[in-house]
Amino acid sequence: MSNLKAITNVRLFDGKELSDKTTVYVDGDRFAEEAEGAQVIDAKGAFMMPGLIDGHCHVTQKRNVRAGLKYGVTTAMSIQSSRDMRQNSRARIYSTYDRALGSVTDPKEFVDTEIANGADYIKVIIEHKPMMDKTIIREDVVKGIVEEAHKRGKLVACHAVSVPTLEMAIEAGVDIYVHVPLEAVMTADMVDRIAAQGAPVVPTLSMMMGFANGPIYGYKKSDYKNSEDCVRLLHEAGVPLMVGTDANNVIFLPWVKFGRDMHREMNLMAAAGLQPLELLRGATSIVADGYGLRDVGSIEPGKYADFLLIDGDPSRDIHDMSRIKAVYIGGEAVYSE
């Protein structure tokens, strides 16, 4: 049997724009140009879009992948996922090996070790107060990691959840900002500098809300508005915003779920001012472009045939993301209602 499929009768979002194209071709595990002799799959008017990419999460168990697939997450930008998890997962997982904390003092050694262990990108954690390590990473070390990573063609994503740590990240010239401040709103100057860099931000509002609402983390519920205001300012300045959850398996952290909270994150970002089409881009092509992923994030010939069929139109109403009919990875259905 031919591996060529024709997905007909679709309303298409290709990862960047809406299209009146009604048929998409798949050859094996990739999207293809129009061709004759394809097996026809009638989507019956469904909304078709690329699989979702979680811009920041911690995939360490197979059940995390299964939970994500149910909600359309076909790719995850993860932290510390094992080689086995990355190589034998039904979803596509791009991950670091470790992360740079205060104990890291030699940038070259750290970056070399990450690359030797198969890291897809480099992760730096800048803390305002020591929490995950006994010390705070030095500013010169962060700058050195960025320089060494760039020499080797790797991007650097930086965890910074306060104004002072974000300032250090900006000075170091990191490529991707993970989280937004909770205790205070970013200054206009900081927003302008990030916008000038063209670097994307993954706000993880689900996690920020969890910290604000949790009684043990030292924040007030009202602090969440600071994070929401940060997103609003970044959006107004034209900063690329990725959808990412920070879903994880750590017991003492706020409960952010794999898969389900991708949809919740979109809703929270919508409340901060983003429009549905911007959110769809932020969960597909903007993540792919920001992390330098060439094979996912959009529906075009040559890219992996990872896509969703939805009974509704999330480009008009983002809540329609909950109406997923089927999830495909590499041209094969991995979930259907």
Side-chain angles (χ1 to χ4, degrees), residues 77-115:
M77 306 311 301
S78 185
I79 303 296
Q80 296 177 291
S81 292
S82 67
R83 282 181 184 269
D84 178 71
M85 182 66 69
R86 280 179 272 173
Q87 294 172 356
N88 298 299
S89 172
R90 298 180 81 187
R92 305 188 194 282
I93 301 174
Y94 299 89
S95 182
T96 65
Y97 171 71
D98 202 349
R99 63 256 167 93
L101 287 161
S103 56
V104 173
T105 57
D106 187 331
K108 184 177 185 301
E109 180 182 29
F110 175 76
V111 173
D112 285 346
T113 300
E114 285 294 286
I115 292 175

Side-chain angles (χ1 to χ4, degrees), residues 1 31 33 39-40 64 77 96 105 147 158 167 173 197 253 282-283 292 294 299 309 334:
M1 176 181 278
F31 292 114
E33 300 284 359
Q39 173 192 359
V40 176
N64 304 151
M77 306 311 301
T96 65
T105 57
E147 291 172 3
C158 183
E167 180 68 35
Q197 291 174 341
L253 289 178
R294 298 179 179 178
I299 294 175
L309 297 177
V334 295

Side-chain angles (χ1 to χ4, degrees), residues 258-269:
F258 290 88
R260 184 202 69 177
D261 283 334
M262 271 294 284
H263 299 185
R264 180 188 181 211
E265 187 71 19
M266 290 183 179
N267 295 338
L268 292 175
M269 292 173 74

